[in-house]
């Protein structure tokens, strides 16, 4: 069986313990469920915390000191046979068994104690112990500890060992250094007086020096600092005789009780046990020669006191640390660097300089003059103008500096441009750009003129006052001429160079001016006698003196600030259309014509302005209205750029604004305007041509402003204000003629027309009727000349009435083709007359006009009931009105021509406050005609008219010329 | 056979004083009906705005939050919010129910003469003495106006809004109509500082009152004058004018303590209602009934037609 089993066993490998074979009929045991798996103690009780000292509660009998029978104290029984022991109770007597078990509080099991657990486990402590042993009064006592080896090593040791660490080594990467002799295995026991382990000082030196390059060594073990407290009464750092030294022969050496500390201990700590010294044993006077010692040669050596230091010297111990007992590793390095001056650690990447720094040169402070006072007094600051150059000179002289040379002006007296010049810089570009250059040519000229005038005046004034000053100063003992010339020169021809040459202070006296200029030139050349040279030799002494003063002052007064000023301005970085400004493209035109319209209750087209206006997109959204200009980003009224410095931006000529406007709008509107946007044709829309005229009027006014004084005298604006009476009539005639002309030209009568009529006649209320009559004939002739061509214009109609009663007028040249074209236009936008609400106004043309208008209105206004009522009412009223007009008309027809003119005058009450200037501004021809007025006869007028008309088409460019011609014509 | 349409009643004018409310908020600068005419707002010079039921004379709520006197107010189409402007240069949007300030729009450089909601109460338009009209967006939290209409050369005295137009009267003597749909601005010159401009209820005409003691009815499209109404006195103050509920009459305040009614078509003076002594500062006309509110000094008066009987029962 066994063999069989062994056979079968050969094949099978069994692990663990097999279950007991089941008996027949026995059910397999159910595994014990988890909750039933309990731990019980040896008495079958549930294992809980038990034992009085291990925290349990089931002690004694149900946790009492009693028993089943109750508590019975022990009794003391002692008999002769059975002596009672003298019992000494120990704590164990009161303990339960559990407390004495392995895990109890007082286990009785045998366990290795700490002391025996591992010797190397606590190496630090061990070393300290060794140290203590070494320094102990009985040396070598600790050696006995080595006899007992640790039973086992801690896990740390095991791990370190597995990693290649050996005892006695340091932990870390291997380094190249001399091998140290390992500590001998502590298990090698040395008994008795055998050579104890112990290092000798010189052992290293004597060891073999074979060091292969590729051999590395473990780092030296780090020695812990000994923190054992000093508990003896020895002196500080005293140690007893080193037993190693004492025993193992360093007798020849100087025993330094004090300095040996660091070395000795390190050696002691480092390799206590290892020694292979040649001299062993305790030697010395006190000990004699040991039994094991072979040498006894110096047993009689005397230990003399001279070997000891008797004085604490302050010499450095040699390591340069002055008592600082740093870890010893640095010591060896220090030696190599000893020759260098620098002591201390050198940073990585740095090396000591090979040659020493050259020492700094030290300059001694300057020797102060003896009378030096360490307080500074500021001199009064004197600007280097020529005016005070005298003073300057004095000052500078007092300061011990000669400033005669202009080139060596102190730098505070130079301005930036001068300094730049001295440095050879190219002058700042800005020097050539003055503010003036941003202005348009026109404005510049104007400014120049103005400036010239004022300059002239000022200069004259100044010169006069200066002359007075000079004359007064003459009376006093004035500085001699030398002084003059000197300060002139000192004041610098330099300033004179920059002086505006265009400034002519003595322009009134050309001769004097010439002399002055000469003076300037000479001063520029730096001639001292400049003044003397240029003065008129024929003058008296007094005059010369005076002139000299004047010139000098004039020269110094007008130092141009040109360059300094211009350098302060610079061109804008971004071009902002420097001479452009944004102006609303469309402006509500002048109020005056509207005012008159309001007065006449002619609301409607005359009082209405229509602009393109762009609502904000968001606003449209909020109002639930489609954006009328979906493509434009504009908001509000469209704006255009306009010449910034143009005076006309600020005048109230509405048309100036509208000229570029219409062009701009014609360009712009296509893209702004939606396709659905059909513009309602209004009469104002025809005004392109009219606007052209207006632009001409603008031009005219400009021209007028340019025309010199002689023309201004005849300028109507001046004249009329002063003396309206005698000329008003002719004014009127002129106006009318012009008006009719414009009518002929324009497709509709502009508001200017009405205004012209009304305004002018309002001025001439006082005019005498006779004169009027005489002139009015002429005027009517001329009027007719124009009027003939057109039939619909009310004015024409009115005047066309007259020709019937009059002999056939001389007719001027027939109308030009333009006029025909305009007539066509006129059909569409019939001109409208001033409403007839003044009693004697011309009414005839008005009525059909109104009628027509009303019709058109009715056409496009199908409206609500009350609206219609309104309409009806209005119509009714208008009819009434018309009736009145008619009656008046008849009345008027019966009246003579003179009434006609008076009619017109009364007509004009509608616009009493229209100033003639404004009229002029608005009405281009008026002025020209007025200019011609004086000699204008009917015939000459008409011919002139024609020529005017022909020129009219030629555009503005010829206007000046035209004017000139006209003027000539009139005179 | 259908019955003929009942003939429309002849227009009646409010001639019977029904109620006099002492508002107790200093001078009443403006009185305004709400949209359906059941309530009214009074703007006081004591910085408050009050909501009344004018027929019953009950004060519903006082809105305080302005820093200076309130010069004009308007209510939204749904009666949910109010806006007001005043001497503190601010335009305030109020919540009617809570009486709280919802928004305060600041930006005007001068006192706000007039405020209006647009039709959907999404924009407040305010005209100010700084000669600008600003359109404030009530929907967003933007502090700046949506658009600034600064075409006026002088103080904007009156702003009215239709569904797609803004009508503004200015002291520079012009009435400007901004047509959003057409994208055009129509400027009508009246010649005298405009104190009030309003649309007729049919939207075809504008009524303009100016400081030359004249009211003018202008055709909206052409700017032509359809009627002129004089007889009252308006030389100094910004007085209101309006049209009656069926556009049959023109109504205006006067500085001689009366409210003048003119027949719109004939232009004849129909009625001069003696409201009191002093200047009738403001008036409001009921949108559907002949009911007039006139503000004089510190009180408002409610005037109804002759045959009106107070509905005491309904309360």
């Amino acid at each position: 069986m066994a063999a069989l089993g062994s056979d079968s066993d050969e094949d099978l490998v069994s692990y663990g313990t097999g279950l007991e074979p089941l008996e027949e009929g026995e059910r397999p045991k159910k595994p014990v469920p988890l909750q039933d798996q309990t731990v019980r103690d040896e008495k079958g009780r549930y294992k809980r915390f038990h034992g009085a000292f291990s925290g349990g509660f089931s002690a004694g009998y149900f946790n009492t000191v009693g028993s089943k029978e109750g508590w019975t104290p022990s009794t003391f029984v002692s008999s002769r046979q059975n002596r009672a022991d003298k019992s000494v109770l120990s704590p164990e007597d009161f303990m339960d068994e559990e407390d004495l078990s392995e895990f109890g509080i007082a286990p009785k099991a045998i366990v290795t104690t700490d002391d025996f657990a591992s010797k190397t486990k606590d190496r630090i402590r061990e070393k300290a112990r060794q140290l203590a042993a070494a320094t102990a009064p009985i040396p070598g006592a600790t050696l006995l500890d080595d006899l007992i080896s640790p039973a086992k090593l801690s896990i740390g040791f095991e791990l370190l060992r597995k990693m290649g660490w050996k005892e006695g080594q340091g932990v870390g990467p291997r380094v190249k250094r001399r091998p140290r002799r390992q500590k001998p295995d502590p298990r090698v026991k040395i008994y008795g007086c055998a050579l104890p382990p112990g290092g000798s000082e010189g052992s290293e030196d004597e060891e073999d020096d074979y060091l292969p390059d590729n051999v590395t060594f473990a780092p030296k073990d780090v020695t812990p600092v000994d923190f054992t407290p000093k508990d003896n009464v020895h002196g500080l750092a005293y140690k007893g005789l080193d037993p190693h030294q004492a025993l193992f022969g360093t007798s020849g050496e100087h025993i330094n009780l004090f300095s040996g500390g660091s070395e000795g201990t390190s050696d002691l700590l480092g390799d206590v046990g290892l020694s292979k010294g040649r001299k062993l044993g305790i030697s010395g006077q006190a000990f004699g020669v040991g039994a094991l010692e072979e040498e006894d040669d110096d047993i009689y050596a005397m230990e003399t006191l001279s070997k000891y230091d008797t004085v604490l010297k302050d010499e450095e111990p040699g390591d340069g640390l002055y008592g600082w007992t740093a870890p010893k590793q640095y010591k060896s390095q220090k030696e190599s660097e000893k020759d260098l001056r620098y002591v201390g650690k050198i940073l990585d990447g740095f090396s000591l300089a090979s040659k020493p720094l050259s020492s700094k040169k030290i300059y001694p402070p300057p020797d102060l003059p003896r009378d030096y006072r360490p307080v500074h007094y500021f001199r009064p600051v004197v600007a280097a103008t020529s005016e005070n150059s005298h003073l300057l000179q004095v000052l500078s002289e007092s300061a011990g500096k000669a400033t005669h040379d202009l080139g060596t002006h102190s730098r505070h007296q130079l301005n930036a441009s001068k300094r730049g010049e001295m440095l050879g810089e190219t002058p700042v570009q800005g020097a050539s750009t003055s503010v003036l250059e941003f202005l348009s040519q026109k404005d510049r000229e104007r400014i120049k003129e103005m400036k010239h005038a004022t300059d002239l005046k000022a200069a004259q004034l100044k010169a006069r006052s200066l002359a007075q000053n000079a004359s007064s100063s003459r009376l006093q003992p004035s500085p001699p001429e030398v002084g003059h010339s000197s300060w002139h020169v000192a004041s610098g021809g330099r300033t004179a160079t920059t002086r505006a040459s265009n400034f002519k202070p003595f322009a009134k006296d050309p001769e004097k001016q010439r002399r002055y200029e000469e003076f300037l030139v000479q001063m520029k050349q730096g001639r001292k006698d400049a003044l003397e040279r240029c003065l008129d030799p024929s003058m008296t002494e007094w005059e010369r003196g005076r002139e000299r003063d004047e010139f000098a002052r004039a020269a110094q007064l007008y130092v141009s600030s040109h360059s300094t000023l211009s350098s302060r301005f610079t061109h804008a970085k971004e071009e902002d259309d420097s001479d452009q400004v944004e102006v609303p493209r469309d402006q509500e035109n002048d109020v005056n014509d509207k005012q008159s319209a309001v007065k006449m209750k002619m609301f409607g087209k005359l009082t209405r302005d229509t602009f393109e206006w762009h609502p904000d997109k968001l606003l449209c959204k909020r109002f639930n209205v489609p954006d009328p200009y979906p493509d434009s980003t504009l908001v509000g009224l469209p704006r255009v750029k306009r010449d910034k410095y143009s005076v006309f931006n600020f005048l109230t000529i509405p048309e100036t604004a509208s000229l570029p406007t219409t062009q701009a709008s014609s360009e712009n509107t296509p893209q702004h305007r939606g396709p659905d946007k059909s513009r309602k044709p209004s009469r104002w829309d025809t005004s392109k041509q009219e606007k052209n005229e207006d632009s001409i009027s603008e031009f005219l006014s400009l021209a007028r402003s340019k025309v010199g004084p002689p023309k201004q005298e005849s300028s109507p604006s001046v004249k009329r204000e002063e003396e309206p009476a005698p000329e008003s009539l002719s004014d009127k005639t002129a106006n009318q003629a012009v008006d009719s002309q414009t009518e002929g030209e324009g497709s509709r009568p502009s508001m200017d027309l009405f205004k012209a009529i009304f305004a002018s006649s309002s001025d001439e209320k006082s005019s005498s009727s006779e004169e009027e009559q005489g002139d009015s004939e002429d005027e009517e002739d001329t009027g007719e000349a124009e009027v003939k061509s057109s039939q619909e214009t009310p004015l024409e109609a009115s005047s066309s009435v007259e020709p019937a009663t009059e002999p056939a007028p001389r007719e001027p040249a027939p109308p030009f083709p333009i006029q025909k074209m305009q007539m066509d236009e006129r059909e569409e936008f019939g001109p409208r007359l001033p409403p007839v609400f003044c009693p004697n106004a011309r009414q005839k043309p008005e009525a059909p006009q109104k009628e027509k208008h009303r019709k058109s209105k009715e056409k496009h206004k199908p409206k609500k009931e009350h609206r219609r009522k309104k309409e009806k009412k209005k119509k009714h009223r208008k009819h009434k009105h018309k009736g009145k007009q008619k009656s008046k008309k008849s009345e008027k027809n019966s009246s003579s021509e003179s009434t006609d003119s008076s009619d017109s005058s009364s007509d004009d009450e509608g616009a009493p406050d229209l100033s003639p200037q404004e009229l002029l501004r608005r009405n281009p021809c008026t002025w020209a005609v007025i200019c011609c007025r004086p000699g204008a006869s009917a015939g000459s007028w008409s011919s002139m008219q024609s020529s005017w008309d022909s020129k009219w088409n030629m555009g503005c460019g010829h206007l000046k010329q035209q004017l000139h011609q006209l003027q000539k014509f009139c005179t | 056979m259908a019955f003929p349409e009942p003939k429309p009643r002849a227009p009646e004018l409010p001639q019977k004083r029904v109620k006099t409310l002492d508002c107790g908020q200093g001078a009443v600068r403006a009185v305004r009906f709400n949209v359906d005419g059941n309530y009214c707002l009074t703007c006081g010079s004591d910085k408050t705005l009050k909501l009344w039921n004018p027929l019953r004379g009950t004060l519903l709520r006082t809105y305080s939050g302005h820093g200076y006197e309130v010069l004009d107010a308007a209510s939204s189409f749904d009666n949910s919010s109010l806006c007001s402007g005043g001497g503190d240069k601010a335009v305030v949007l109020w919540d009617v129910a809570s009486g709280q300030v919802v928004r305060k729009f600041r930006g005007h450089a001068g006192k706000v003469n007039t405020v209006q909601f647009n039709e959907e109460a999404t924009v407040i338009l305010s005209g100010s003495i700084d000669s600008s009209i600003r359109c404030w967006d009530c929907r967003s939290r933007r502090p700046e106006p949506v658009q600034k209409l600064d075409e006026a050369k002088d103080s904007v005295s009156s702003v009215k809004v239709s569904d797609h137009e803004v009508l503004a009267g200015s002291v520079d003597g012009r009435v400007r109509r901004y047509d959003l749909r057409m994208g055009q601005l129509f400027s009508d010159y009246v010649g005298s500082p405009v104190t009030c401009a309003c649309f007729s209820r049919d939207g075809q005409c504008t009524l303009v009152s100016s400081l030359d003691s004249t009211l003018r009815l202008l055709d909206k499209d052409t700017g032509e004058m359809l009627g002129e109404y004089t007889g009252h006195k308006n030389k100094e103050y910004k007085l209101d004018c309006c049209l009656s509920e069926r556009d049959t009459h023109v109504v205006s305040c006067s500085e001689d303590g009366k409210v003048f009614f003119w027949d719109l078509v004939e232009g004849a003076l129909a009625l001069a209602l003696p409201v009191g002594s002093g200047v009738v500062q403001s008036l409001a006309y009921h949108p559907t009934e002949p009911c007039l509110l006139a503000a004089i000094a510190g009180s408002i008066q409610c005037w109804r037609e002759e045959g009106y009987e107070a509905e005491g029962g309904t309360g």
Side-chain angles (χ1 to χ4, degrees), chain A residues 601 608 622 624 861 867, chain B residues 120 137 183 219 221 228:
Chain A
K601 313 230 167 168
R608 165 158 286 200
R622 293 274 183 265
N624 284 328
K861 273 186 197 164
R867 173 75 184 163
Chain B
E120 295 190 335
D137 191 0
D219 188 289
D221 294 325
E228 197 174 23

Side-chain angles (χ1 to χ4, degrees), chain A residues 64-265:
Chain A
T64 66
V65 290
S67 63
K68 201 176 181 180
E69 296 81 28
W71 180 76
T72 47
S74 61
T75 52
F76 177 78
V77 181
S78 177
S79 64
R80 198 173 290 176
Q81 289 78 30
N82 206 358
R83 294 275 178 183
D85 298 334
K86 202 177 184 181
S87 65
V88 176
L89 293 175
S90 64
E92 282 81 5
D93 293 333
F94 301 100
M95 285 182 168
D96 296 330
E97 305 85 80
E98 292 94 338
D99 291 332
L100 304 176
S101 68
E102 187 183 358
F103 304 105
I105 192 169
K108 292 282 189 191
I110 294 170
V111 182
T112 317
T113 58
D114 260 356
D115 291 336
F116 300 95
S118 167
K119 194 186 172 188
T120 51
K121 187 162 63 179
D122 197 350
R123 191 176 162 79
I124 294 169
R125 208 207 280 175
E126 189 210 357
K127 279 196 174 170
R129 198 164 49 91
Q130 280 183 353
L131 180 66
T135 55
I138 304 167
T142 58
L143 290 178
L144 291 176
D145 290 343
D146 294 336
L147 300 181
I148 303 157
S149 66
K152 61 177 183 182
L153 294 170
S154 70
I155 185 68
F157 271 83
E158 304 278 5
L159 287 173
L160 279 173
R161 274 202 181 145
K162 294 215 162 164
M163 290 164 68
W165 174 79
K166 293 192 185 91
E167 277 182 69
Q169 291 178 350
V171 178
R174 298 177 72 81
V175 295
K176 264 197 159 192
R177 78 175 160 88
R178 289 175 160 231
R180 305 229 39 176
R181 209 172 303 121
Q182 294 299 312
K183 197 174 162 184
D185 192 346
R187 263 168 285 199
V188 176
K189 298 184 179 89
I190 300 163
Y191 297 99
C193 291
L195 287 177
S200 69
E201 287 291 323
S203 61
E204 283 180 16
D205 306 329
E206 296 162 10
E207 292 310 76
D208 57 331
D209 290 322
Y210 172 67
L211 283 174
D213 278 347
N214 51 357
V215 174
T216 55
F217 300 91
K220 194 179 176 184
D221 202 5
V222 177
T223 59
V225 180
D226 181 21
F227 288 118
T228 49
K230 171 175 157 49
D231 52 356
N232 52 23
V233 290
H234 302 312
L236 197 66
Y238 166 84
K239 56 182 171 84
L241 275 177
D242 188 352
H244 299 296
Q245 287 178 9
L247 286 174
F248 310 126
T250 55
S251 57
E253 283 183 81
H254 176 164
I255 298 166
N256 190 347
L257 287 179
F258 299 98
S259 68
S262 59
E263 298 167 28
T265 46

Side-chain angles (χ1 to χ4, degrees), chain B residues 280-313:
Chain B
V280 182
Q281 294 151 359
S282 177
L283 55 78
Y285 210 93
H286 197 282
T288 53
E289 289 174 52
C291 173
L292 175 81
L293 292 178
I296 184 164
S299 61
I300 58 170
Q301 296 179 2
C302 179
W303 294 75
R304 291 303 301 251
E305 72 273 16
E306 203 62 66
Y308 173 79
E309 283 172 20
E311 309 155 18

